Amino acid sequence: VQLQASGGGLVQTGGSLMLSCAVSGTIFRVDDMGWYRQFPGKQRELVATLSSDGKTNYGDSVKGRFTISRDNIKNTVYLQMNSLKFEDTAVYYCNADLVPLGLWTVRNYWGQGTLVTVSS
C-alpha cells in the first residue's frame, strides 16, 4: 500500500493550488483521509481531515481558504488551497487510515510529502 501525493509547486501570494493523493495497492477499506504540513524545524500539524462519512476537520489557520474532498472510487483525497499566504509554505503530507486486504486491521499510512512554496 502506498500513498502518492502530487500537485505541489510554486505559487504567488493569493493564488491557488490543488493537491492530490492517491492510495494504491490492494485495499479492503479506506477510513479517514487527511493532509498535514510541516514547517522547517517544526512538528507536523493538521491541515484538514475527512472521514469516510463526510465529516471534515480543519486547522484554524486554513479554515475558509482550504477545502478537502475525496473520491471514494479512486481512493484519492484532494486539498484545494485558495488565497494562499506566504506562511502556508511547507511540505504537505497526505495521510490515511485504511484496511489492507488480507490484514483486516486499520493501519495508518503517510504519503511522501509535496512541497508548496508561496512567494510573497
Side-chain angles (χ1 to χ4, degrees):
V1 175
Q2 286 188 328
L3 273 62
Q4 183 68 44
S6 61
L10 175 64
V11 64
Q12 290 186 332
T13 298
S16 298
L17 276 178
M18 175 176 273
L19 305 182
S20 300
C21 178
V23 180
S24 62
T26 308
I27 302 156
F28 174 70
R29 189 183 75 235
V30 181
D31 294 339
D32 291 359
M33 305 183 80
W35 291 93
Y36 294 75
R37 64 187 181 185
Q38 189 167 20
F39 305 107
K42 303 287 187 180
Q43 290 187 332
R44 288 182 193 180
E45 66 175 34
L46 168 72
V47 177
T49 59
L50 176 57
S51 68
S52 57
D53 60 356
K55 295 176 182 176
T56 59
N57 184 34
Y58 291 94
D60 288 340
S61 62
V62 306
K63 286 179 181 176
R65 300 188 297 123
F66 292 9
T67 302
I68 189 170
S69 60
R70 61 193 283 173
D71 184 328
N72 291 326
I73 302 299
K74 297 180 179 178
N75 287 329
T76 299
V77 63
Y78 305 95
L79 185 69
Q80 177 65 45
M81 304 185 293
N82 297 328
S83 301
L84 281 160
K85 303 176 181 180
F86 174 75
E87 50 265 39
D88 292 318
T89 297
V91 178
Y92 285 71
Y93 295 89
C94 57
N95 180 270
D97 288 329
L98 57 91
V99 179
L101 192 67
L103 292 182
W104 312 119
T105 185
V106 177
R107 293 196 177 184
N108 186 260
Y109 291 83
W110 289 95
Q112 83 282 13
T114 185
L115 177 63
V116 172
T117 303
V118 184
S119 62
S120 58

